[in-house]
Amino acid sequence: MVEFRLSAEHRGFVDWARAAATERLAPLARHDGRVNRPLLRAMGDAGLVRAAFGGTGDQPRDAAALQLCLLRETLAQVSAEAETALALQGLGSYPILQSGRPECAARWIPRVVSGEAVAAFALSEPDAGSDAAALKLRAERDGPGWRLTGEKMWISNAPDADVYSVFARTTPDARAKGVTAFAVPGDAAGLSGEPLDMLSPHPIGRLVFDGVCVGPEALLGEVDGGFAVAMRTLDLFRPSVGAFAVGMAQSALDATVAYVRTREVHGGPLARQQAVAHRVADLATELEAARLLVYAAAAAYDAGDQPRDQRRRSAMAKLFATEAAQRIVDGCVQLHGAVALRGGHLLEQLYRDVRSLRIYEGASEIQRTIIARDLIDLDANG
């Protein structure tokens, strides 16, 4: 593959996103673990949610993966909370944009893009996380619509979202072939939930569906075709999780370079210690490798590569970038010493924030399984 270079248009987009995030979003961050509606409205006013879908005009279009990655990486360097808020809006509403009935998309997408409505992606359950095809939330026929009964767990933006992209079991014992996707309003009768406390404050919770009724207009895609809706969404967003990791790692490295230049040790800056200088070089090299892997996966998606190749590249990008970010942030904490462990320090916040990236949207172990399954191709070779 030839050397990857961002175009002038891409660089201009990054500059615009950084300015918007710095001036309009960072001052609204509060890190209290609940949905930040003023932040989302500011994000909508700035056009950042529309940009996450690849759009630049009044309406979003189907998402461009590289633009999404650049946006998430840039926002992560300014505010992890703003980045997460934008990513959750995209993840929660993309199934509606890509597979919703026209009336459903018209109801929700403009409100999500403007920051008026909060979206959420409701796939995981207490016993169906990495094995998402094992989900048990039931969707039973009820006249022209369905009645949903069961529970969802680890759902970002729950229980405060205005609309959930929900994946439910419509055909028993059929695993992935018996799952259907629905757009469920957050105020639907019978829907309740509670927030969960996490290591790093994050808007996440549990949902309970007690006979929640949805009509035929809520269907996303086809009956029993919901797993494909979920996978298309994750295939797009998986490399952008890597971009989030790259952005956090870049923020940590920038702070560390500034610190070792000015921290005086043994009569000179810490950076003059060869062990420190070489450690910084290693961290920077690993970061650049992660960034290029993410960009390559996104570019392959945008170029329309075969779905199987896209999935492998996305898994590689997500795996490498999130694991690398964990090591980079840890290394930056080490170079800072005890000061980085104080509450409120940038590195202390990043150290807690970065950990979840190796778990959500497919844990590292699942990414390795996806990669190995494609490379070894057991179905073809026995």
PDB file of all heavy atoms in Angstrom, residues 331-370:
ATOM      1  N   GLY A 331       2.183   4.417  29.593  1.00  0.00           N
ATOM      2  CA  GLY A 331       3.565   4.884  29.505  1.00  0.00           C
ATOM      3  C   GLY A 331       3.696   6.365  29.824  1.00  0.00           C
ATOM      4  O   GLY A 331       4.668   6.803  30.453  1.00  0.00           O
ATOM      5  N   CYS A 332       2.711   7.165  29.402  1.00  0.00           N
ATOM      6  CA  CYS A 332       2.736   8.599  29.693  1.00  0.00           C
ATOM      7  C   CYS A 332       2.544   8.860  31.180  1.00  0.00           C
ATOM      8  O   CYS A 332       3.172   9.771  31.747  1.00  0.00           O
ATOM      9  CB  CYS A 332       1.666   9.308  28.874  1.00  0.00           C
ATOM     10  SG  CYS A 332       2.025   9.370  27.091  1.00  0.00           S
ATOM     11  N   VAL A 333       1.682   8.081  31.817  1.00  0.00           N
ATOM     12  CA  VAL A 333       1.526   8.195  33.275  1.00  0.00           C
ATOM     13  C   VAL A 333       2.852   7.899  33.959  1.00  0.00           C
ATOM     14  O   VAL A 333       3.282   8.607  34.887  1.00  0.00           O
ATOM     15  CB  VAL A 333       0.418   7.249  33.776  1.00  0.00           C
ATOM     16  CG1 VAL A 333       0.441   7.149  35.301  1.00  0.00           C
ATOM     17  CG2 VAL A 333      -0.947   7.709  33.297  1.00  0.00           C
ATOM     18  N   GLN A 334       3.534   6.856  33.505  1.00  0.00           N
ATOM     19  CA  GLN A 334       4.813   6.473  34.103  1.00  0.00           C
ATOM     20  C   GLN A 334       5.848   7.592  33.985  1.00  0.00           C
ATOM     21  O   GLN A 334       6.596   7.868  34.936  1.00  0.00           O
ATOM     22  CB  GLN A 334       5.336   5.206  33.432  1.00  0.00           C
ATOM     23  CG  GLN A 334       6.533   4.570  34.117  1.00  0.00           C
ATOM     24  CD  GLN A 334       6.167   3.949  35.457  1.00  0.00           C
ATOM     25  OE1 GLN A 334       5.004   3.651  35.715  1.00  0.00           O
ATOM     26  NE2 GLN A 334       7.153   3.765  36.318  1.00  0.00           N
ATOM     27  N   LEU A 335       5.889   8.247  32.840  1.00  0.00           N
ATOM     28  CA  LEU A 335       6.864   9.316  32.641  1.00  0.00           C
ATOM     29  C   LEU A 335       6.521  10.564  33.452  1.00  0.00           C
ATOM     30  O   LEU A 335       7.411  11.333  33.825  1.00  0.00           O
ATOM     31  CB  LEU A 335       6.966   9.658  31.156  1.00  0.00           C
ATOM     32  CG  LEU A 335       7.604   8.570  30.279  1.00  0.00           C
ATOM     33  CD1 LEU A 335       7.551   8.974  28.814  1.00  0.00           C
ATOM     34  CD2 LEU A 335       9.039   8.293  30.700  1.00  0.00           C
ATOM     35  N   HIS A 336       5.261  10.767  33.733  1.00  0.00           N
ATOM     36  CA  HIS A 336       4.863  11.885  34.588  1.00  0.00           C
ATOM     37  C   HIS A 336       5.133  11.597  36.063  1.00  0.00           C
ATOM     38  O   HIS A 336       5.391  12.524  36.837  1.00  0.00           O
ATOM     39  CB  HIS A 336       3.368  12.177  34.421  1.00  0.00           C
ATOM     40  CG  HIS A 336       3.040  13.112  33.303  1.00  0.00           C
ATOM     41  ND1 HIS A 336       3.033  12.721  31.983  1.00  0.00           N
ATOM     42  CD2 HIS A 336       2.691  14.427  33.306  1.00  0.00           C
ATOM     43  CE1 HIS A 336       2.685  13.747  31.225  1.00  0.00           C
ATOM     44  NE2 HIS A 336       2.472  14.802  31.998  1.00  0.00           N
ATOM     45  N   GLY A 337       5.024  10.342  36.441  1.00  0.00           N
ATOM     46  CA  GLY A 337       5.173  10.011  37.855  1.00  0.00           C
ATOM     47  C   GLY A 337       3.896  10.283  38.638  1.00  0.00           C
ATOM     48  O   GLY A 337       2.796  10.332  38.078  1.00  0.00           O
ATOM     49  N   ALA A 338       4.051  10.499  39.931  1.00  0.00           N
ATOM     50  CA  ALA A 338       2.906  10.601  40.838  1.00  0.00           C
ATOM     51  C   ALA A 338       1.955  11.732  40.467  1.00  0.00           C
ATOM     52  O   ALA A 338       0.746  11.641  40.731  1.00  0.00           O
ATOM     53  CB  ALA A 338       3.396  10.777  42.276  1.00  0.00           C
ATOM     54  N   VAL A 339       2.450  12.794  39.839  1.00  0.00           N
ATOM     55  CA  VAL A 339       1.588  13.926  39.525  1.00  0.00           C
ATOM     56  C   VAL A 339       0.418  13.514  38.634  1.00  0.00           C
ATOM     57  O   VAL A 339      -0.677  14.088  38.708  1.00  0.00           O
ATOM     58  CB  VAL A 339       2.412  15.059  38.852  1.00  0.00           C
ATOM     59  CG1 VAL A 339       2.926  14.636  37.485  1.00  0.00           C
ATOM     60  CG2 VAL A 339       1.582  16.332  38.748  1.00  0.00           C
ATOM     61  N   ALA A 340       0.631  12.498  37.788  1.00  0.00           N
ATOM     62  CA  ALA A 340      -0.416  12.060  36.869  1.00  0.00           C
ATOM     63  C   ALA A 340      -1.508  11.245  37.560  1.00  0.00           C
ATOM     64  O   ALA A 340      -2.541  10.960  36.947  1.00  0.00           O
ATOM     65  CB  ALA A 340       0.190  11.223  35.741  1.00  0.00           C
ATOM     66  N   LEU A 341      -1.285  10.875  38.807  1.00  0.00           N
ATOM     67  CA  LEU A 341      -2.267  10.077  39.545  1.00  0.00           C
ATOM     68  C   LEU A 341      -3.206  10.935  40.377  1.00  0.00           C
ATOM     69  O   LEU A 341      -4.152  10.406  40.980  1.00  0.00           O
ATOM     70  CB  LEU A 341      -1.547   9.070  40.453  1.00  0.00           C
ATOM     71  CG  LEU A 341      -0.621   8.075  39.736  1.00  0.00           C
ATOM     72  CD1 LEU A 341       0.028   7.148  40.753  1.00  0.00           C
ATOM     73  CD2 LEU A 341      -1.387   7.269  38.694  1.00  0.00           C
ATOM     74  N   ARG A 342      -2.979  12.220  40.416  1.00  0.00           N
ATOM     75  CA  ARG A 342      -3.855  13.103  41.178  1.00  0.00           C
ATOM     76  C   ARG A 342      -5.181  13.292  40.457  1.00  0.00           C
ATOM     77  O   ARG A 342      -5.235  13.414  39.233  1.00  0.00           O
ATOM     78  CB  ARG A 342      -3.200  14.463  41.399  1.00  0.00           C
ATOM     79  CG  ARG A 342      -1.981  14.443  42.298  1.00  0.00           C
ATOM     80  CD  ARG A 342      -1.548  15.842  42.684  1.00  0.00           C
ATOM     81  NE  ARG A 342      -2.566  16.509  43.508  1.00  0.00           N
ATOM     82  CZ  ARG A 342      -2.456  17.761  43.944  1.00  0.00           C
ATOM     83  NH1 ARG A 342      -1.389  18.475  43.633  1.00  0.00           N
ATOM     84  NH2 ARG A 342      -3.407  18.296  44.672  1.00  0.00           N
ATOM     85  N   GLY A 343      -6.259  13.309  41.256  1.00  0.00           N
ATOM     86  CA  GLY A 343      -7.573  13.527  40.677  1.00  0.00           C
ATOM     87  C   GLY A 343      -7.641  14.835  39.921  1.00  0.00           C
ATOM     88  O   GLY A 343      -7.163  15.873  40.390  1.00  0.00           O
ATOM     89  N   GLY A 344      -8.228  14.795  38.708  1.00  0.00           N
ATOM     90  CA  GLY A 344      -8.363  15.984  37.889  1.00  0.00           C
ATOM     91  C   GLY A 344      -7.249  16.204  36.897  1.00  0.00           C
ATOM     92  O   GLY A 344      -7.382  17.040  35.993  1.00  0.00           O
ATOM     93  N   HIS A 345      -6.137  15.464  37.045  1.00  0.00           N
ATOM     94  CA  HIS A 345      -5.053  15.588  36.062  1.00  0.00           C
ATOM     95  C   HIS A 345      -5.502  14.954  34.740  1.00  0.00           C
ATOM     96  O   HIS A 345      -6.225  13.958  34.720  1.00  0.00           O
ATOM     97  CB  HIS A 345      -3.802  14.888  36.582  1.00  0.00           C
ATOM     98  CG  HIS A 345      -2.558  15.189  35.799  1.00  0.00           C
ATOM     99  ND1 HIS A 345      -2.263  14.579  34.597  1.00  0.00           N
ATOM    100  CD2 HIS A 345      -1.524  16.048  36.043  1.00  0.00           C
ATOM    101  CE1 HIS A 345      -1.115  15.028  34.144  1.00  0.00           C
ATOM    102  NE2 HIS A 345      -0.641  15.924  34.999  1.00  0.00           N
ATOM    103  N   LEU A 346      -5.068  15.539  33.624  1.00  0.00           N
ATOM    104  CA  LEU A 346      -5.437  15.016  32.305  1.00  0.00           C
ATOM    105  C   LEU A 346      -5.105  13.540  32.179  1.00  0.00           C
ATOM    106  O   LEU A 346      -5.924  12.740  31.692  1.00  0.00           O
ATOM    107  CB  LEU A 346      -4.698  15.803  31.215  1.00  0.00           C
ATOM    108  CG  LEU A 346      -4.829  15.242  29.794  1.00  0.00           C
ATOM    109  CD1 LEU A 346      -6.264  15.315  29.303  1.00  0.00           C
ATOM    110  CD2 LEU A 346      -3.886  15.984  28.837  1.00  0.00           C
ATOM    111  N   LEU A 347      -3.911  13.132  32.616  1.00  0.00           N
ATOM    112  CA  LEU A 347      -3.507  11.732  32.484  1.00  0.00           C
ATOM    113  C   LEU A 347      -4.335  10.822  33.376  1.00  0.00           C
ATOM    114  O   LEU A 347      -4.638   9.675  32.997  1.00  0.00           O
ATOM    115  CB  LEU A 347      -2.022  11.586  32.803  1.00  0.00           C
ATOM    116  CG  LEU A 347      -1.034  11.681  31.630  1.00  0.00           C
ATOM    117  CD1 LEU A 347      -1.265  10.553  30.644  1.00  0.00           C
ATOM    118  CD2 LEU A 347      -1.118  13.010  30.924  1.00  0.00           C
ATOM    119  N   GLU A 348      -4.729  11.300  34.543  1.00  0.00           N
ATOM    120  CA  GLU A 348      -5.590  10.501  35.428  1.00  0.00           C
ATOM    121  C   GLU A 348      -6.925  10.225  34.746  1.00  0.00           C
ATOM    122  O   GLU A 348      -7.445   9.103  34.781  1.00  0.00           O
ATOM    123  CB  GLU A 348      -5.786  11.248  36.757  1.00  0.00           C
ATOM    124  CG  GLU A 348      -6.686  10.538  37.771  1.00  0.00           C
ATOM    125  CD  GLU A 348      -8.126  10.993  37.693  1.00  0.00           C
ATOM    126  OE1 GLU A 348      -8.383  12.077  37.142  1.00  0.00           O
ATOM    127  OE2 GLU A 348      -9.007  10.247  38.173  1.00  0.00           O
ATOM    128  N   GLN A 349      -7.494  11.244  34.093  1.00  0.00           N
ATOM    129  CA  GLN A 349      -8.757  11.079  33.391  1.00  0.00           C
ATOM    130  C   GLN A 349      -8.601  10.142  32.188  1.00  0.00           C
ATOM    131  O   GLN A 349      -9.407   9.234  31.972  1.00  0.00           O
ATOM    132  CB  GLN A 349      -9.280  12.435  32.933  1.00  0.00           C
ATOM    133  CG  GLN A 349     -10.632  12.389  32.235  1.00  0.00           C
ATOM    134  CD  GLN A 349     -11.763  12.031  33.169  1.00  0.00           C
ATOM    135  OE1 GLN A 349     -11.838  12.557  34.273  1.00  0.00           O
ATOM    136  NE2 GLN A 349     -12.624  11.129  32.750  1.00  0.00           N
ATOM    137  N   LEU A 350      -7.555  10.339  31.408  1.00  0.00           N
ATOM    138  CA  LEU A 350      -7.333   9.492  30.242  1.00  0.00           C
ATOM    139  C   LEU A 350      -7.080   8.046  30.646  1.00  0.00           C
ATOM    140  O   LEU A 350      -7.514   7.108  29.955  1.00  0.00           O
ATOM    141  CB  LEU A 350      -6.149  10.018  29.424  1.00  0.00           C
ATOM    142  CG  LEU A 350      -6.367  11.326  28.664  1.00  0.00           C
ATOM    143  CD1 LEU A 350      -5.063  11.831  28.064  1.00  0.00           C
ATOM    144  CD2 LEU A 350      -7.429  11.157  27.585  1.00  0.00           C
ATOM    145  N   TYR A 351      -6.382   7.850  31.758  1.00  0.00           N
ATOM    146  CA  TYR A 351      -6.063   6.499  32.218  1.00  0.00           C
ATOM    147  C   TYR A 351      -7.339   5.711  32.489  1.00  0.00           C
ATOM    148  O   TYR A 351      -7.423   4.519  32.190  1.00  0.00           O
ATOM    149  CB  TYR A 351      -5.197   6.586  33.479  1.00  0.00           C
ATOM    150  CG  TYR A 351      -4.545   5.288  33.890  1.00  0.00           C
ATOM    151  CD1 TYR A 351      -3.471   4.775  33.187  1.00  0.00           C
ATOM    152  CD2 TYR A 351      -5.003   4.579  35.003  1.00  0.00           C
ATOM    153  CE1 TYR A 351      -2.859   3.596  33.562  1.00  0.00           C
ATOM    154  CE2 TYR A 351      -4.400   3.398  35.386  1.00  0.00           C
ATOM    155  CZ  TYR A 351      -3.324   2.914  34.663  1.00  0.00           C
ATOM    156  OH  TYR A 351      -2.719   1.733  35.039  1.00  0.00           O
ATOM    157  N   ARG A 352      -8.347   6.386  33.053  1.00  0.00           N
ATOM    158  CA  ARG A 352      -9.621   5.712  33.312  1.00  0.00           C
ATOM    159  C   ARG A 352     -10.472   5.602  32.045  1.00  0.00           C
ATOM    160  O   ARG A 352     -11.116   4.585  31.803  1.00  0.00           O
ATOM    161  CB  ARG A 352     -10.387   6.449  34.415  1.00  0.00           C
ATOM    162  CG  ARG A 352      -9.755   6.270  35.788  1.00  0.00           C
ATOM    163  CD  ARG A 352     -10.581   6.859  36.918  1.00  0.00           C
ATOM    164  NE  ARG A 352     -10.543   8.321  36.909  1.00  0.00           N
ATOM    165  CZ  ARG A 352     -11.604   9.103  36.734  1.00  0.00           C
ATOM    166  NH1 ARG A 352     -12.783   8.555  36.518  1.00  0.00           N
ATOM    167  NH2 ARG A 352     -11.487  10.406  36.766  1.00  0.00           N
ATOM    168  N   ASP A 353     -10.454   6.658  31.227  1.00  0.00           N
ATOM    169  CA  ASP A 353     -11.286   6.666  30.024  1.00  0.00           C
ATOM    170  C   ASP A 353     -10.864   5.617  29.004  1.00  0.00           C
ATOM    171  O   ASP A 353     -11.702   5.008  28.335  1.00  0.00           O
ATOM    172  CB  ASP A 353     -11.235   8.044  29.357  1.00  0.00           C
ATOM    173  CG  ASP A 353     -12.049   9.093  30.093  1.00  0.00           C
ATOM    174  OD1 ASP A 353     -12.870   8.723  30.946  1.00  0.00           O
ATOM    175  OD2 ASP A 353     -11.842  10.294  29.814  1.00  0.00           O
ATOM    176  N   VAL A 354      -9.558   5.393  28.872  1.00  0.00           N
ATOM    177  CA  VAL A 354      -9.067   4.554  27.787  1.00  0.00           C
ATOM    178  C   VAL A 354      -9.375   3.074  27.997  1.00  0.00           C
ATOM    179  O   VAL A 354      -9.432   2.300  27.032  1.00  0.00           O
ATOM    180  CB  VAL A 354      -7.548   4.768  27.590  1.00  0.00           C
ATOM    181  CG1 VAL A 354      -6.734   4.040  28.659  1.00  0.00           C
ATOM    182  CG2 VAL A 354      -7.105   4.368  26.186  1.00  0.00           C
ATOM    183  N   ARG A 355      -9.623   2.681  29.223  1.00  0.00           N
ATOM    184  CA  ARG A 355      -9.762   1.248  29.503  1.00  0.00           C
ATOM    185  C   ARG A 355     -10.965   0.604  28.813  1.00  0.00           C
ATOM    186  O   ARG A 355     -10.898  -0.534  28.341  1.00  0.00           O
ATOM    187  CB  ARG A 355      -9.852   1.014  31.021  1.00  0.00           C
ATOM    188  CG  ARG A 355      -9.895  -0.467  31.410  1.00  0.00           C
ATOM    189  CD  ARG A 355      -8.641  -1.179  30.937  1.00  0.00           C
ATOM    190  NE  ARG A 355      -8.638  -2.600  31.165  1.00  0.00           N
ATOM    191  CZ  ARG A 355      -9.173  -3.514  30.362  1.00  0.00           C
ATOM    192  NH1 ARG A 355      -9.802  -3.122  29.253  1.00  0.00           N
ATOM    193  NH2 ARG A 355      -9.085  -4.799  30.624  1.00  0.00           N
ATOM    194  N   SER A 356     -12.064   1.316  28.739  1.00  0.00           N
ATOM    195  CA  SER A 356     -13.287   0.702  28.195  1.00  0.00           C
ATOM    196  C   SER A 356     -13.193   0.427  26.703  1.00  0.00           C
ATOM    197  O   SER A 356     -13.925  -0.422  26.182  1.00  0.00           O
ATOM    198  CB  SER A 356     -14.490   1.601  28.478  1.00  0.00           C
ATOM    199  OG  SER A 356     -14.365   2.844  27.802  1.00  0.00           O
ATOM    200  N   LEU A 357     -12.306   1.115  25.984  1.00  0.00           N
ATOM    201  CA  LEU A 357     -12.247   0.959  24.528  1.00  0.00           C
ATOM    202  C   LEU A 357     -11.855  -0.450  24.113  1.00  0.00           C
ATOM    203  O   LEU A 357     -12.181  -0.885  23.000  1.00  0.00           O
ATOM    204  CB  LEU A 357     -11.258   1.967  23.927  1.00  0.00           C
ATOM    205  CG  LEU A 357     -11.837   3.344  23.600  1.00  0.00           C
ATOM    206  CD1 LEU A 357     -12.321   4.057  24.850  1.00  0.00           C
ATOM    207  CD2 LEU A 357     -10.800   4.197  22.874  1.00  0.00           C
ATOM    208  N   ARG A 358     -11.155  -1.182  24.969  1.00  0.00           N
ATOM    209  CA  ARG A 358     -10.756  -2.551  24.640  1.00  0.00           C
ATOM    210  C   ARG A 358     -11.887  -3.547  24.855  1.00  0.00           C
ATOM    211  O   ARG A 358     -11.730  -4.738  24.573  1.00  0.00           O
ATOM    212  CB  ARG A 358      -9.555  -2.950  25.486  1.00  0.00           C
ATOM    213  CG  ARG A 358      -8.301  -2.137  25.171  1.00  0.00           C
ATOM    214  CD  ARG A 358      -7.246  -2.302  26.244  1.00  0.00           C
ATOM    215  NE  ARG A 358      -6.886  -3.706  26.433  1.00  0.00           N
ATOM    216  CZ  ARG A 358      -6.417  -4.202  27.578  1.00  0.00           C
ATOM    217  NH1 ARG A 358      -6.284  -3.413  28.639  1.00  0.00           N
ATOM    218  NH2 ARG A 358      -6.110  -5.467  27.657  1.00  0.00           N
ATOM    219  N   ILE A 359     -13.039  -3.047  25.330  1.00  0.00           N
ATOM    220  CA  ILE A 359     -14.171  -3.922  25.634  1.00  0.00           C
ATOM    221  C   ILE A 359     -15.370  -3.638  24.727  1.00  0.00           C
ATOM    222  O   ILE A 359     -15.924  -4.554  24.115  1.00  0.00           O
ATOM    223  CB  ILE A 359     -14.581  -3.787  27.112  1.00  0.00           C
ATOM    224  CG1 ILE A 359     -13.452  -4.269  28.020  1.00  0.00           C
ATOM    225  CG2 ILE A 359     -15.873  -4.560  27.396  1.00  0.00           C
ATOM    226  CD1 ILE A 359     -13.703  -4.048  29.497  1.00  0.00           C
ATOM    227  N   TYR A 360     -15.794  -2.354  24.663  1.00  0.00           N
ATOM    228  CA  TYR A 360     -17.067  -2.112  23.974  1.00  0.00           C
ATOM    229  C   TYR A 360     -16.926  -2.181  22.459  1.00  0.00           C
ATOM    230  O   TYR A 360     -15.838  -2.074  21.915  1.00  0.00           O
ATOM    231  CB  TYR A 360     -17.712  -0.814  24.439  1.00  0.00           C
ATOM    232  CG  TYR A 360     -17.089   0.489  24.028  1.00  0.00           C
ATOM    233  CD1 TYR A 360     -17.092   0.910  22.705  1.00  0.00           C
ATOM    234  CD2 TYR A 360     -16.572   1.359  24.983  1.00  0.00           C
ATOM    235  CE1 TYR A 360     -16.574   2.128  22.325  1.00  0.00           C
ATOM    236  CE2 TYR A 360     -16.058   2.595  24.617  1.00  0.00           C
ATOM    237  CZ  TYR A 360     -16.061   2.970  23.291  1.00  0.00           C
ATOM    238  OH  TYR A 360     -15.540   4.190  22.922  1.00  0.00           O
ATOM    239  N   GLU A 361     -18.077  -2.393  21.800  1.00  0.00           N
ATOM    240  CA  GLU A 361     -18.166  -2.614  20.349  1.00  0.00           C
ATOM    241  C   GLU A 361     -17.270  -3.769  19.903  1.00  0.00           C
ATOM    242  O   GLU A 361     -16.678  -3.740  18.814  1.00  0.00           O
ATOM    243  CB  GLU A 361     -17.866  -1.326  19.575  1.00  0.00           C
ATOM    244  CG  GLU A 361     -18.950  -0.277  19.750  1.00  0.00           C
ATOM    245  CD  GLU A 361     -18.761   0.929  18.871  1.00  0.00           C
ATOM    246  OE1 GLU A 361     -18.385   0.754  17.690  1.00  0.00           O
ATOM    247  OE2 GLU A 361     -18.992   2.047  19.356  1.00  0.00           O
ATOM    248  N   GLY A 362     -17.182  -4.784  20.738  1.00  0.00           N
ATOM    249  CA  GLY A 362     -16.385  -5.968  20.428  1.00  0.00           C
ATOM    250  C   GLY A 362     -15.071  -5.949  21.157  1.00  0.00           C
ATOM    251  O   GLY A 362     -14.163  -5.182  20.804  1.00  0.00           O
ATOM    252  N   ALA A 363     -14.947  -6.777  22.199  1.00  0.00           N
ATOM    253  CA  ALA A 363     -13.717  -6.837  22.982  1.00  0.00           C
ATOM    254  C   ALA A 363     -12.538  -7.264  22.114  1.00  0.00           C
ATOM    255  O   ALA A 363     -12.710  -7.838  21.029  1.00  0.00           O
ATOM    256  CB  ALA A 363     -13.889  -7.810  24.145  1.00  0.00           C
ATOM    257  N   SER A 364     -11.328  -6.998  22.595  1.00  0.00           N
ATOM    258  CA  SER A 364     -10.131  -7.337  21.825  1.00  0.00           C
ATOM    259  C   SER A 364     -10.103  -8.810  21.438  1.00  0.00           C
ATOM    260  O   SER A 364      -9.671  -9.172  20.337  1.00  0.00           O
ATOM    261  CB  SER A 364      -8.876  -6.978  22.634  1.00  0.00           C
ATOM    262  OG  SER A 364      -8.754  -5.584  22.781  1.00  0.00           O
ATOM    263  N   GLU A 365     -10.567  -9.669  22.340  1.00  0.00           N
ATOM    264  CA  GLU A 365     -10.576 -11.106  22.044  1.00  0.00           C
ATOM    265  C   GLU A 365     -11.493 -11.426  20.869  1.00  0.00           C
ATOM    266  O   GLU A 365     -11.192 -12.303  20.039  1.00  0.00           O
ATOM    267  CB  GLU A 365     -11.012 -11.878  23.295  1.00  0.00           C
ATOM    268  CG  GLU A 365     -10.003 -11.850  24.438  1.00  0.00           C
ATOM    269  CD  GLU A 365      -9.945 -10.515  25.164  1.00  0.00           C
ATOM    270  OE1 GLU A 365     -10.885  -9.684  25.002  1.00  0.00           O
ATOM    271  OE2 GLU A 365      -8.964 -10.278  25.907  1.00  0.00           O
ATOM    272  N   ILE A 366     -12.618 -10.713  20.774  1.00  0.00           N
ATOM    273  CA  ILE A 366     -13.534 -10.918  19.651  1.00  0.00           C
ATOM    274  C   ILE A 366     -12.911 -10.412  18.354  1.00  0.00           C
ATOM    275  O   ILE A 366     -13.065 -11.038  17.293  1.00  0.00           O
ATOM    276  CB  ILE A 366     -14.867 -10.203  19.923  1.00  0.00           C
ATOM    277  CG1 ILE A 366     -15.533 -10.791  21.181  1.00  0.00           C
ATOM    278  CG2 ILE A 366     -15.796 -10.318  18.726  1.00  0.00           C
ATOM    279  CD1 ILE A 366     -15.798 -12.275  21.111  1.00  0.00           C
ATOM    280  N   GLN A 367     -12.184  -9.306  18.412  1.00  0.00           N
ATOM    281  CA  GLN A 367     -11.522  -8.813  17.204  1.00  0.00           C
ATOM    282  C   GLN A 367     -10.485  -9.822  16.698  1.00  0.00           C
ATOM    283  O   GLN A 367     -10.356 -10.040  15.491  1.00  0.00           O
ATOM    284  CB  GLN A 367     -10.844  -7.465  17.472  1.00  0.00           C
ATOM    285  CG  GLN A 367     -11.751  -6.384  18.042  1.00  0.00           C
ATOM    286  CD  GLN A 367     -13.062  -6.235  17.295  1.00  0.00           C
ATOM    287  OE1 GLN A 367     -13.092  -6.230  16.069  1.00  0.00           O
ATOM    288  NE2 GLN A 367     -14.147  -6.135  18.041  1.00  0.00           N
ATOM    289  N   ARG A 368      -9.767 -10.433  17.623  1.00  0.00           N
ATOM    290  CA  ARG A 368      -8.800 -11.471  17.217  1.00  0.00           C
ATOM    291  C   ARG A 368      -9.492 -12.652  16.566  1.00  0.00           C
ATOM    292  O   ARG A 368      -8.990 -13.237  15.596  1.00  0.00           O
ATOM    293  CB  ARG A 368      -7.986 -11.918  18.433  1.00  0.00           C
ATOM    294  CG  ARG A 368      -7.051 -10.848  18.974  1.00  0.00           C
ATOM    295  CD  ARG A 368      -6.179 -11.385  20.102  1.00  0.00           C
ATOM    296  NE  ARG A 368      -5.230 -10.375  20.571  1.00  0.00           N
ATOM    297  CZ  ARG A 368      -5.409  -9.612  21.646  1.00  0.00           C
ATOM    298  NH1 ARG A 368      -6.502  -9.767  22.388  1.00  0.00           N
ATOM    299  NH2 ARG A 368      -4.517  -8.713  21.992  1.00  0.00           N
ATOM    300  N   THR A 369     -10.664 -13.015  17.087  1.00  0.00           N
ATOM    301  CA  THR A 369     -11.429 -14.114  16.492  1.00  0.00           C
ATOM    302  C   THR A 369     -11.868 -13.769  15.075  1.00  0.00           C
ATOM    303  O   THR A 369     -11.778 -14.603  14.160  1.00  0.00           O
ATOM    304  CB  THR A 369     -12.651 -14.439  17.364  1.00  0.00           C
ATOM    305  OG1 THR A 369     -12.213 -14.873  18.656  1.00  0.00           O
ATOM    306  CG2 THR A 369     -13.514 -15.523  16.735  1.00  0.00           C
ATOM    307  N   ILE A 370     -12.341 -12.538  14.867  1.00  0.00           N
ATOM    308  CA  ILE A 370     -12.767 -12.103  13.534  1.00  0.00           C
ATOM    309  C   ILE A 370     -11.594 -12.164  12.557  1.00  0.00           C
ATOM    310  O   ILE A 370     -11.717 -12.672  11.433  1.00  0.00           O
ATOM    311  CB  ILE A 370     -13.329 -10.670  13.604  1.00  0.00           C
ATOM    312  CG1 ILE A 370     -14.639 -10.649  14.392  1.00  0.00           C
ATOM    313  CG2 ILE A 370     -13.547 -10.106  12.196  1.00  0.00           C
ATOM    314  CD1 ILE A 370     -15.137  -9.246  14.711  1.00  0.00           C
TER     315      ILE A 370
END
